[in-house]
Amino acid sequence: MYRIDLGGTRHIFASLAALLAAASPLRSGDVLAGLAAGSNLQRVAARMVLADMPLADLLTDALVPYEADEVTRLILDGHNDDAFAPLAHLTVGEFREWLLADETDGAAILAASPGLTPEMVAAVSKLMRNQDLIAVAAKVEVVTRFHNTLGLKGHLAVRLQPNHPTDDPLGIAAAVLDGLLMGCGDAVIGINPASDSVDAACTLMHMLEQMRLAHAIPTQTCVLTHVTNTLIAIERGAPVDLVFQSIAGSEAANRSFGIDLSLLREGREAALSLGRGTVGDNVMYFETGQGSALSADAHHGVDQQTMEVRAYAVARAFSPLLVNTVVGFIGPEYLYDGKQIVRAGLEDHFCGKLMGLPMGCDVCYTNHAEADQDDMDTLLTLLGVAGVNFVMGVPGADDVMLGYQSTSFHDALYARTTLGLRPAPEFEAWLGAVGLLGDDGRLRQVAFDTAPRLLALPDTIR
């Protein structure tokens, strides 16, 4: 139990979970769960208590019971005491000061990362302003590789997301070509299939492979189907680059997705056995989102942001190429408006980077949220400044299959141009070779007939 007198009131927090929840910025999901601070004064009181808490205390008080949760066991059994030792004497508030110090660079943060638990990372994020989250994340460079190199400073990659409501190969191919002509697709060309059909997923995998090989595009492809479907596709000989899976921060939440850690290991081993990577072997693609554990009634009384960071511990165990927080996708029940979505996106990116992950963000919202594209412009720009590894490229920013609003090919161009960011190096060289990129590194405004190689679809797709 934690107590503090503030503003003439004694504030009592019955547990570490209650303290962390009360210290969180206001969000609708925590209100829905009955975990949010009852007032701004109580929120400040919780942050004061949290700032004075020894960082090491967060190692000894498991928010989700060790015996009942394999994610907790993963976190505690995998903790690196040597990496934590230089920080073990700090309080959470002093840890914040260490992260922000000029002499603490990205290499020092990554060296400490194996010693940081999700609870430590979530706790310090709750003490930070938005500019603090941006300043620290911008220091950290997490580089991953498969068919190209992602995460280098000064670069911003884009997932080309050509979803189609009926998984029509020709419609998807048209969207892929549209995105490539706009310089998008270096993070991954990734399709969310409209059905769970393994046959349909295999058809799309083969189509994407034909396009990639026909034009020698240095990127990776992925059909974002369940890991069990991908395992079947691999058995059938499908050309699988990346194994995708949505993950969460508790065993019970992951069970609601139909997965456990053993299944994720099986998926990674199957992908590695194919030996398809040309410059690296990061073969996993994970997506997360604040509120997923709560929506599955598997949050164990823990606030949604802390549960989100626990999902990053799952991701960290599998050396992924990409980790994507789909920040506003679940809906206003969890992140009510643009302000909450912006804050959550910055938190997720910061926390993922501290956990050593190659963080991207689907800068997005649902149509019933109190948000609009101006809010997404704000978050996209802030994440670009913070050094996000990748964002989404969706035709017109409107996903016609999933029915939500994201960022467009043009939005990605805006971010790269305004912030002086470039595509992945191998992809940038390819854009130049096919005539889409000028000597100044800017995308050329060319007519379609100047890039005939890109417009030539393989006969099997037509």
Side-chain angles (χ1 to χ4, degrees):
M1 185 174 292
Y2 306 89
R3 299 181 179 89
I4 186 173
D5 293 322
L6 183 68
T9 302
R10 170 159 288 190
H11 300 272
I12 299 175
F13 307 97
S15 65
L16 177 59
L19 178 67
L20 289 169
S24 289
L26 179 64
R27 62 205 60 202
S28 52
D30 290 340
V31 174
L32 179 66
L35 301 174
S39 66
N40 285 330
L41 184 63
Q42 186 183 45
R43 185 170 292 109
V44 170
R47 290 176 182 175
M48 291 177 67
V49 173
L50 191 60
D52 290 335
M53 177 179 291
L55 202 58
D57 284 5
L58 293 163
L59 266 176
T60 59
D61 191 348
L63 297 179
V64 183
Y66 180 93
E67 299 77 11
D69 187 82
E70 67 172 356
V71 176
T72 299
R73 294 193 291 274
L74 175 73
I75 292 166
L76 296 181
D77 293 348
H79 183 256
N80 188 316
D81 293 335
D82 292 337
F84 181 59
L87 306 178
H89 64 288
L90 300 179
T91 65
V92 177
E94 290 168 342
F95 179 42
R96 172 185 175 273
E97 293 171 2
W98 179 82
L99 289 168
L100 288 166
D102 289 341
E103 57 268 24
T104 303
D105 60 14
I109 294 171
L110 286 179
S113 181
L116 300 178
T117 67
E119 290 78 9
M120 296 175 191
V121 172
V124 76
S125 74
K126 297 174 193 297
L127 304 183
M128 291 188 150
R129 295 171 56 184
N130 286 0
Q131 68 174 247
D132 298 336
L133 299 173
I134 294 168
V136 173
K139 299 180 180 184
V140 181
E141 180 185 67
V142 181
V143 179
T144 55
R145 296 175 174 88
F146 190 73
H147 285 317
N148 60 20
T149 305
L150 302 172
L152 294 168
K153 283 192 176 183
H155 296 259
L156 174 64
V158 184
R159 171 190 161 188
L160 202 170
Q161 184 171 307
N163 296 342
H164 191 280
T166 64
D167 288 340
D168 176 62
L170 189 58
I172 289 171
V176 170
L177 290 175
D178 186 20
L180 292 172
L181 287 168
M182 297 295 289
C184 297
D186 47 344
V188 64
I189 302 174
I191 304 168
N192 297 92
S195 77
D196 288 330
S197 166
V198 178
D199 289 340
C202 288
T203 295
L204 296 178
M205 291 173 187
H206 284 289
M207 181 202 75
L208 292 177
E209 179 73 349
Q210 290 167 15
M211 295 185 73
R212 188 181 71 82
L213 293 177
H215 305 301
I217 307 169
T219 191
Q220 35 283 327
T221 64
C222 184
V223 175
L224 282 69
T225 189
H226 193 272
V227 60
T228 52
N229 289 345
T230 303
L231 284 167
I232 296 171
I234 290 174
E235 291 175 357
R236 293 183 181 180
V240 173
D241 283 345
L242 306 181
V243 174
F244 166 81
Q245 185 55 51
S246 295
I247 57 173
S250 73
E251 179 178 341
N254 284 326
R255 196 182 304 122
S256 76
F257 290 144
I259 63 165
D260 58 20
L261 298 181
S262 176
L263 183 59
L264 294 178
R265 292 188 192 100
E266 183 182 354
R268 180 170 183 265
E269 289 167 3
L272 287 172
S273 73
L274 300 178
R276 289 177 54 83
T278 50
V279 298
D281 62 357
N282 299 113
V283 296
M284 302 299 286
Y285 175 12
F286 294 121
E287 288 193 345
T288 69
Q290 289 193 28
S292 58
L294 175 58
S295 67
D297 194 23
H299 63 294
H300 297 273
V302 179
D303 69 273
Q304 68 182 41
Q305 190 255 339
T306 301
M307 289 303 296
E308 170 75 358
V309 190
R310 284 172 57 91
Y312 301 158
V314 175
R316 179 167 64 177
F318 296 94
S319 302
L321 181 78
L322 307 164
V323 179
N324 179 33
T325 169
V326 193
V327 64
F329 182 74
I330 302 182
E333 298 84 1
Y334 305 95
L335 295 169
Y336 179 72
D337 57 14
K339 180 176 182 178
Q340 292 187 12
I341 292 171
V342 167
R343 172 69 190 192
L346 295 176
E347 286 173 348
D348 293 352
H349 178 248
F350 163 88
C351 291
K353 284 290 184 69
L354 258 63
M355 295 289 287
L357 293 177
M359 288 302 296
C361 183
D362 190 343
V363 179
C364 64
Y365 63 102
T366 58
N367 289 311
H368 60 311
E370 289 295 322
D372 58 28
Q373 214 63 34
D374 286 337
D375 296 311
M376 300 306 100
D377 288 348
T378 298
L379 180 54
L380 173 63
T381 305
L382 294 176
L383 286 170
V385 174
V388 71
N389 281 32
F390 67 99
V391 294
M392 302 298 110
V394 177
D398 184 356
D399 193 299
V400 296
M401 193 278 283
L402 292 173
Y404 77 117
Q405 308 304 309
S406 184
T407 47
S408 70
F409 305 140
H410 290 84
D411 294 331
L413 280 181
Y414 147 77
R416 283 175 174 165
T417 301
T418 304
L419 300 175
L421 302 171
R422 304 172 79 101
E426 300 89 345
F427 193 80
E428 182 177 38
W430 175 80
L431 288 172
V434 297
L436 289 175
L437 205 66
D439 293 337
D440 59 358
R442 296 170 67 93
L443 199 70
R444 296 174 58 202
Q445 300 300 309
V446 295
F448 275 11
D449 59 6
T450 66
R453 290 175 57 202
L454 282 180
L455 294 177
L457 297 175
D459 292 338
T460 55
I461 298 175
R462 296 182 183 181

